[in-house]
Amino acid sequence: MFKLGFDAKRFFNNQTGLGNYSRDLIRILRTYFPEETYLLYTPQLGKQDYNQLVPNQMVRQASGFLNRTFKSYWRGNRIVEDLKRDKIDIFHGLSGEIPVGLQETSIKSVVTIHDLIFIRYPELYKKIDRTVYYKKFKYACDHADQIVAISEQTKRDICEFFHISENKVKVIYQGCHQSFKSIKTEEEKNDFMIKLGLPKDFILNVGTIESRKNALSIVQAIVDKDIPLVIVGKPTVYTKEIHEFVALNGMQNRVIFLHGLSMQELSVLYSIAKIFVYPSIFEGFGIPIIEALYSGTPVITTDSGVFPEAGGPSSYYVNPHDIAQLSDAIDTILNSSVLQQEMSKKGLEYAQQFNDDTLANQWMNLYLEMHGESN
């Protein structure tokens, strides 16, 4: 038995992305390896819903006037003293960071790197953000005992951009929320469709509505089709560009925007959709693809980068910049119930490698290997 410490800032304070990753990882570790000790370090607590996911004795916050006043400095530096006092064996930076000076202690460290999109697509980020991300991620990769990438694509980027040896980077995939793994009843689906006023048939896109996610290409691909499109995600400036195209082409009744759904509601939505369409330009992994596979929904996604890794052999791949190809892909799947059933069945089979027990064992094997090295 040993003690694991986690940088849990995102666990308590992020509703999506890094927050979901943190909460799912802690959940599966506690489920499959309850005998170990898990301590979550956070500058501050967040939504009450997240606070209730773990007992109080697992949570560590900044103590003392200086640490409480300068929470970021505590998280990035002074937290090391707390880790030593708590006799942590391994510290896991869940979102690309580890505290400065940790390598000078006997505490082993592992860091998860989700993506390096800010390096590949610098135009999507403010200069100050790129500078901060690069400094923190590079430091973590240089000083952590072990790096974990959430995909082979991210591993390649870490090795290329940070000049890290492949031997130091291990790939452990990300899972998804339990809601997507449950069978939805017809009554549940019908009630949800009535509640939201959804059409009987529609295609679906989920993710922050930004240019990199490329949702406009879906709207352009269905401009002459009868099938409605439901777009779920946090609105951004890019959303205005989509709205303008929709208005210009009289598609207001065929493009539906939603946001603020719970995980359970989102999982029902996936299960109803005819096709999940995700022509993103670049991702560290692409969790919405996994959510669709677990939901038994056929997937159309990008033919390069991480997407074939996430979507598996049964998904339909297109050039995200080729509107005609995307349009043809939608028609091909909509016009064949046999193809829909085959993609649904094989996609669900492929998704089993992202099951909780598989991921939990991979993580615990890594921790045990690291802990063994320290003894």
Side-chain angles (χ1 to χ4, degrees):
M1 293 177 63
F2 53 93
K3 282 188 175 182
L4 285 161
F6 296 88
D7 173 10
K9 177 183 176 181
R10 266 74 183 192
F11 179 104
F12 291 104
N13 296 282
N14 282 52
Q15 296 186 42
T16 59
L18 299 178
N20 288 336
Y21 175 84
S22 301
R23 289 184 288 274
D24 279 342
L25 178 55
I26 300 301
R27 174 182 59 80
I28 65 174
L29 286 173
R30 292 183 66 212
T31 299
Y32 290 94
F33 300 98
E35 68 278 5
E36 306 299 344
T37 300
Y38 307 102
L39 298 181
L40 309 187
Y41 294 80
T42 180
Q44 61 193 35
L45 296 176
K47 289 184 62 176
Q48 190 64 25
D49 292 348
Y50 302 152
N51 300 344
Q52 294 174 347
L53 291 176
V54 290
N56 289 336
Q57 64 264 28
M58 283 182 59
V59 182
R60 296 289 189 273
Q61 290 183 261
S63 60
F65 175 78
L66 190 62
N67 292 338
R68 288 196 303 269
T69 304
F70 302 100
K71 291 185 174 68
S72 293
Y73 186 66
W74 171 76
R75 177 171 173 257
N77 298 77
R78 292 174 64 87
I79 191 176
V80 172
E81 294 304 314
D82 292 313
L83 301 177
K84 287 160 58 178
R85 184 164 51 249
D86 289 335
K87 298 181 179 179
I88 293 297
D89 294 299
I90 299 172
F91 182 78
H92 187 167
L94 295 170
S95 54
E97 302 174 55
I98 61 170
V100 174
L102 186 61
Q103 74 277 6
E104 296 171 7
T105 73
S106 61
I107 301 168
K108 292 286 186 176
S109 60
V110 55
V111 65
T112 297
I113 301 293
H114 297 263
D115 64 69
L116 298 180
I117 297 173
F118 69 94
I119 299 178
R120 281 195 170 272
Y121 296 92
E123 69 276 9
L124 299 176
Y125 297 81
K126 296 176 183 177
K127 184 176 181 181
I128 182 63
D129 290 336
R130 297 198 309 267
T131 301
V132 170
Y133 294 157
Y134 186 92
K135 181 179 179 181
K136 287 183 175 181
F137 289 13
K138 182 69 164 63
Y139 179 88
C141 287
D142 285 342
H143 293 90
D145 294 294
Q146 178 72 57
I147 303 166
V148 170
I150 64 168
S151 67
E152 294 290 345
Q153 175 64 58
T154 296
K155 177 176 179 175
R156 289 193 292 270
D157 285 352
I158 293 168
C159 296
E160 176 183 351
F161 295 130
F162 291 157
H163 310 292
I164 300 294
S165 168
E166 288 188 8
N167 296 331
K168 191 178 180 180
V169 188
K170 183 178 181 64
V171 174
I172 300 181
Y173 288 124
Q174 184 173 352
C176 75
H177 197 275
Q178 287 293 94
S179 298
F180 299 94
K181 301 173 185 178
S182 63
I183 303 297
K184 309 301 186 293
T185 65
E186 290 304 314
E187 181 181 9
E188 191 175 4
K189 294 178 185 179
N190 289 332
D191 288 348
F192 187 72
M193 291 171 68
I194 293 171
K195 176 184 174 183
L196 268 62
L198 295 174
K200 180 176 180 293
D201 295 326
F202 60 88
I203 60 177
L204 177 66
N205 174 260
V206 177
T208 303
I209 308 173
E210 58 182 336
S211 58
R212 176 173 57 86
K213 304 285 187 178
N214 198 28
L216 178 57
S217 69
I218 313 173
V219 181
Q220 293 169 332
I222 65 165
V223 69
D224 296 322
K225 303 185 194 303
D226 290 331
I227 189 75
L229 165 65
V230 176
I231 299 176
V232 183
K234 182 180 178 181
T236 65
V237 176
Y238 178 67
T239 312
K240 182 181 177 183
E241 192 175 338
I242 300 176
H243 278 296
E244 289 174 350
F245 184 90
V246 167
L248 188 63
N249 290 274
M251 302 173 70
Q252 291 91 333
N253 295 329
R254 290 193 288 127
V255 181
I256 303 163
F257 292 87
L258 301 173
H259 66 91
L261 299 181
S262 68
M263 281 294 184
Q264 179 61 28
E265 290 172 328
L266 190 58
S267 69
V268 177
L269 189 65
Y270 270 100
S271 70
I272 300 170
K274 300 293 287 185
I275 310 172
F276 178 71
V277 188
Y278 198 69
S280 178
I281 306 303
F282 192 86
E283 300 285 340
F285 187 46
I287 283 299
I289 295 174
I290 307 304
E291 293 169 346
L293 296 180
Y294 272 115
S295 303
T297 305
V299 172
I300 298 174
T301 189
T302 300
D303 61 1
S304 59
V306 74
F307 303 99
E309 191 178 342
S314 65
S315 294
Y316 201 117
Y317 297 98
V318 298
N319 180 336
H321 303 291
D322 191 330
I323 305 302
Q325 191 180 50
L326 177 55
S327 178
D328 288 344
I330 293 171
D331 284 339
T332 298
I333 297 173
L334 286 178
N335 293 333
S336 175
S337 59
V338 173
L339 179 58
Q340 291 172 33
Q341 292 169 9
E342 182 181 0
M343 292 179 71
S344 175
K345 179 177 179 292
K346 291 185 177 179
L348 183 57
E349 290 173 356
Y350 181 78
Q352 300 312 299
Q353 66 179 307
F354 308 113
N355 282 347
D356 288 353
D357 58 342
T358 300
L359 301 179
N361 281 313
Q362 290 174 355
W363 275 112
M364 190 51 62
N365 287 338
L366 176 63
Y367 294 144
L368 287 170
E369 183 179 320
M370 293 178 67
H371 186 55
E373 290 176 358
S374 65
N375 289 337

